[in-house]
Amino acid sequence: MYFDYEKAFDRVRHKCLLQKLSTFGIHQQILKWIANFLVGREHSVKINDSYSSVFVPCSGCPQGSVLAPLLFLLFINDIGDAIPDGCHHKLFADDLKIYRSVDSVSDALELQAGIDSVEGWSDENWLDLSGPKTVVLRQGKSPVDFEYVVGGNPITPSREVRDLGILVDSKLTFEPHINKIVRGATIALHHLIRALPDVDLQLFMTAFKTYVRPKLEYGTEVFNPHLKRLVKRMEKPQRTFTKKVLKLKKIEFRSYEHRLQICGLDSLEHRRALADLRTTFKLLNGDYDLAPNALFQLPYRHNPRLHNRAVYKPPFTSASQHAFWNRVVNNWNSLPASLNNIANVDAFTAFARSLDSSQVLVDPVFSSFVA
């Protein structure tokens, strides 16, 4: 469920916005300053070298201003208070998710009540919901086939939803997302090779790390695949790039692993394991506003065979058995005891990169790759 951000302030009078801001205890002088920033300002729209006629909007914030996103966040800050206790919610900017376990019709009705409460809040605050972006994603097998509605219209069911740049599918395989980013990375690497035909190998690798690899590595803690075919699919762009570049530079190689050595690269599977470990360290080190026991089971006594930051897998279902908090435990606990002396994430990153691949990744798929 998304709010229509472009219309957000067009429907809210400046006076209403300022009244809501006053509930945060903002000093009157600051409220006057914000009012002077918003009210009575002349605007025009520029397209290339052409300008529209000057107009004075009666509502809204100047597009692209630093203050506009902050005012929007303050404006929607109380939406969670409107959602009933039976429903959970997550809110990031204009992206709102309402969810709950649905095992009966009464559960579905409670979720519908949560949707109704958001609709009521949006009407009260003159903030439209974006109908085309409001969808239902069902995960797992539910005995209830319920048609949810918003604004009197059925909400479209979907098999996948884009959430903060990641496609989340109903089966939590993340295969649609992996297919999408692999396609994007493959297109980018071919463009790169065509654009840089005469540069040296080092510059090729720098360009790859800058323009291609980030497409494959954003948010891997969420979707790091466990299926062998998806691990290989994720690795394919780098395999293709190293092969084409070394052939272009007329450098002989024996295998993919040999190409990685020549190019000074790690396998992408290895790098995803490092990302998992780095995130685990930050969780246990208190760098996130999230208690470690929210994800892991913490030991009640030290196991002398492991380092003193060892964790254990929480109870899990078939849907969550490959989630980050289960997937990372074996790799994390296998790290050497010298981990005990590391105090910050930079030192941990250097420590993890210095380890042999077998110490970072206990059960790699990479070992079965062919050239």
Side-chain angles (χ1 to χ4, degrees):
M1 177 178 300
Y2 286 79
F3 295 105
D4 197 332
Y5 180 76
E6 294 180 356
K7 294 182 180 179
F9 288 109
D10 292 337
R11 293 290 305 277
V12 182
R13 296 186 182 93
H14 286 139
K15 182 179 178 181
C16 177
L17 172 61
L18 294 169
Q19 286 176 342
K20 197 159 191 178
L21 289 175
S22 68
T23 64
F24 290 94
I26 297 175
H27 195 277
Q28 282 297 117
Q29 290 296 110
I30 298 178
L31 286 176
K32 289 180 180 179
W33 178 79
I34 294 174
N36 286 334
F37 172 68
L38 297 176
V39 181
R41 294 287 181 178
E42 294 184 346
H43 293 252
S44 65
V45 178
K46 178 183 178 184
I47 300 177
N48 296 325
D49 295 326
S50 301
Y51 291 83
S52 71
S53 57
V54 175
F55 63 97
V56 178
C58 63
S59 63
C61 290
Q63 185 176 5
S65 67
V66 174
L67 193 57
L70 176 60
L71 292 178
F72 179 78
L73 292 176
L74 291 172
F75 186 75
I76 65 171
N77 185 67
D78 63 341
I79 189 172
D81 298 336
I83 298 174
D85 293 338
C87 298
H88 307 284
H89 74 282
K90 300 293 182 185
L91 179 65
F92 184 86
D94 62 339
D95 178 3
L96 173 66
K97 292 172 285 293
I98 303 178
Y99 61 97
R100 66 155 296 145
S101 175
V102 175
D103 298 312
S104 64
V105 174
S106 62
D107 292 338
L109 290 172
E110 284 193 25
L111 184 55
Q112 179 63 58
I115 297 170
D116 294 340
S117 67
V118 172
E119 186 178 3
W121 181 95
S122 65
D123 290 341
E124 182 180 340
N125 289 275
W126 298 359
L127 185 61
D128 288 342
L129 294 174
S130 180
K133 292 184 179 180
T134 302
V135 299
V136 173
L137 178 68
R138 291 183 171 90
Q139 294 178 330
K141 296 180 180 179
S142 174
V144 180
D145 185 15
F146 190 88
E147 185 177 68
Y148 300 95
V149 298
V150 62
N153 299 314
I155 301 177
T156 305
S158 177
R159 293 183 179 180
E160 57 192 51
V161 174
R162 183 181 175 89
D163 186 17
L164 302 182
I166 295 177
L167 285 176
V168 181
D169 59 283
S170 58
K171 296 183 179 180
L172 291 179
T173 64
F174 294 99
E175 187 165 3
H177 179 71
I178 290 171
N179 291 339
K180 179 177 180 294
I181 62 176
V182 167
R183 279 196 304 271
T186 302
I187 293 171
L189 73 87
H190 286 299
H191 287 330
L192 200 62
I193 292 172
R194 284 196 296 268
L196 304 172
D198 300 321
V199 301
D200 60 26
L201 182 62
Q202 183 176 358
L203 185 54
F204 258 127
M205 293 306 114
T206 300
F208 176 78
K209 294 175 186 178
T210 303
Y211 297 107
V212 180
R213 199 165 66 181
K215 297 179 183 294
L216 299 165
E217 296 191 332
Y218 166 73
T220 57
E221 294 92 336
V222 175
F223 68 88
N224 192 352
H226 66 279
L227 295 175
K228 189 173 181 178
R229 60 183 174 84
L230 295 183
V231 174
K232 288 189 173 184
R233 194 174 303 168
M234 285 282 291
E235 202 77 29
K236 188 174 181 179
Q238 183 164 276
R239 294 174 67 187
T240 300
F241 183 78
T242 53
K243 180 182 288 188
K244 284 183 174 293
V245 168
L246 292 186
K247 284 185 175 180
L248 182 65
K249 304 314 257 178
K250 299 180 180 178
I251 299 174
E252 295 184 358
F253 55 85
R254 296 186 300 274
S255 64
Y256 176 51
E257 188 170 14
H258 188 211
R259 296 201 301 274
L260 292 179
Q261 293 171 356
I262 296 171
C263 297
L265 299 173
D266 292 318
S267 73
L268 297 180
E269 183 187 19
H270 178 91
R271 287 179 56 82
R272 291 195 299 275
L274 285 175
D276 279 355
L277 294 174
R278 185 166 56 248
T279 299
T280 303
F281 177 86
K282 292 171 74 174
L283 279 165
L284 297 176
N285 204 46
D287 295 340
Y288 292 130
D289 187 19
L290 179 66
N293 59 9
L295 295 180
F296 305 113
Q297 279 196 345
L298 303 181
Y300 61 90
R301 63 182 178 85
H302 174 58
N303 185 338
R305 294 177 297 175
L306 305 174
H307 55 75
N308 60 18
R309 297 188 185 187
V311 294
Y312 297 98
K313 296 179 181 181
F316 56 84
T317 63
S318 58
S320 65
Q321 63 179 320
H322 300 293
F324 163 79
W325 50 87
N326 287 315
R327 177 183 68 238
V328 74
V329 168
N330 290 343
N331 289 342
W332 175 258
N333 288 346
S334 68
L335 294 177
S338 49
L339 168 65
N340 298 337
N341 303 319
I342 297 176
N344 60 70
V345 68
D346 291 335
F348 175 80
T349 300
F351 159 77
R353 286 176 177 170
S354 70
L355 298 176
D356 183 78
S357 180
S358 62
Q359 294 176 288
V360 171
L361 192 56
V362 175
D363 188 21
V365 175
F366 167 72
S367 59
S368 65
F369 284 174
V370 296

